[in-house]
Amino acid sequence: AMILFAIGTMALAESYFGVMRAQVNAKNHETALQLARGRMEEIINAASYADIATANFPDENYGQVAGGASDYAVFARDVTIADSLNTLGQSVLKEITITVSWQGIGQTRSVTLNSVVARYKDIQP
């Protein structure tokens, strides 16, 4: 009876820790999405179309996200902004890609958001 009880207890403990890992992963995934959405909002709401540039929204390594806030120490945020030019060489679209990575249990995970911002003023025909 003791052996059966020990086996049952070990199985319950393993499933408990599995649930805990899943909760941590889900929380980190949601935090990563919030960080990506927040940066996307900052970029889309830039003062002008010309301000939407990678230099104005630099990558943040682990421990640097949100000014180094300890809540985000396991996260890194990468921003890529690519111009799409018309036949006159003018930027008419900017493709924005934001990837937030985090160091999960045993592996690195990430989420990616993409968006496009169009320039609709001051375009020469």
Side-chain angles (χ1 to χ4, degrees):
M2 291 298 283
I3 292 173
L4 289 177
F5 178 74
I7 291 172
T9 302
M10 288 186 343
L12 283 174
E14 180 62 34
S15 78
Y16 172 77
F17 289 118
V19 168
M20 294 299 289
R21 280 191 298 271
Q23 286 178 332
V24 168
N25 285 333
K27 179 180 178 278
N28 285 340
H29 187 265
E30 182 60 32
T31 301
L33 279 173
Q34 289 174 352
L35 289 168
R37 288 180 189 136
R39 181 48 56 103
M40 187 67 76
E41 286 295 320
E42 290 174 19
I43 294 169
I44 290 172
N45 294 323
S48 70
Y49 182 82
D51 289 337
I52 300 174
T54 303
N56 294 333
F57 302 96
D59 294 342
E60 298 163 296
N61 292 321
Y62 295 103
Q64 295 178 332
V65 175
S70 62
D71 290 347
Y72 306 118
V74 297
F75 296 92
R77 187 163 48 184
D78 297 319
V79 176
T80 303
I81 300 173
D83 281 309
S84 178
L85 307 177
N86 65 11
T87 56
L88 298 174
Q90 299 168 319
S91 175
V92 293
L93 292 175
K94 293 191 183 239
E95 182 179 350
I96 304 162
T97 303
I98 300 171
T99 302
V100 177
S101 305
W102 69 96
Q103 300 163 337
I105 299 169
Q107 62 185 339
T108 299
R109 297 176 180 247
S110 65
V111 295
T112 300
L113 291 183
N114 294 302
S115 188
V116 176
V117 176
R119 180 178 182 188
Y120 56 91
K121 297 179 185 177
D122 305 326
I123 300 291
Q124 297 298 318

